[in-house]
Each structure stands twice: as C-alpha cells, then as structure tokens.
Amino acid sequence: MSLFSELQFLSLELGTSHGKALVFADPHIGFELSRGGLRIRTGFEEVLAQFVLERDPDVLIILGGILKNPWA
C-alpha cells in the first residue's frame, strides 16, 4: 500500500457547518530539535501537503502531536 493510499485510509472527511473537514491523527511529521523551533526533513510532509491540497478541505483538524522527540 502506498503512503498516499494509507493517508486516505487513515483520514476522515466530514461535512460540517464550516464546510468539508479533513481529520487525521498523530502524523509525527517533525522533530523538535531545540527551543529555537521545528525542523522537518522527512519527505513525509510533502506527501501529506499534496494529500491535503488534493482533498481541498475547508477545515483541517490534526488530532494529537505533530512532533516526534528523537530523544524520548
């Protein structure tokens, strides 16, 4: 199964009073490297961005964390 197919399987589209909502949980696309900010270098963020653009939601809901602490 391709990553794009997995995103389709693991996401949910809902009709809301604010339009179409795209919901997914715990993507862990980034690494928290320091207090100075967020650094993302996985390539996954590009697939995720394309997925969101193609779904064209009015609202994007991300449940859980988007960071992964490499020292945990």
Side-chain angles (χ1 to χ4, degrees):
M1 182 181 284
S2 73
L3 183 55
F4 204 84
S5 295
E6 287 182 34
L7 287 172
Q8 289 176 327
F9 180 71
L10 297 172
S11 64
L12 177 64
E13 289 184 22
L14 301 170
T16 73
S17 61
H18 296 286
K20 182 171 67 172
L22 178 62
V23 183
F24 58 94
D26 293 321
H28 294 285
I29 60 172
F31 294 90
E32 187 174 3
L33 296 179
S34 68
R35 288 184 145 192
L38 171 67
R39 187 173 178 180
I40 300 174
R41 294 197 183 255
T42 64
F44 173 70
E45 74 279 1
E46 293 173 8
V47 174
L48 181 60
Q50 186 62 37
F51 178 76
V52 171
L53 287 172
E54 287 190 17
R55 291 294 188 217
D56 193 28
D58 299 300
V59 178
L60 178 62
I61 301 170
I62 302 173
L63 304 172
I66 60 169
L67 300 178
K68 179 176 180 172
N69 185 342
W71 298 286

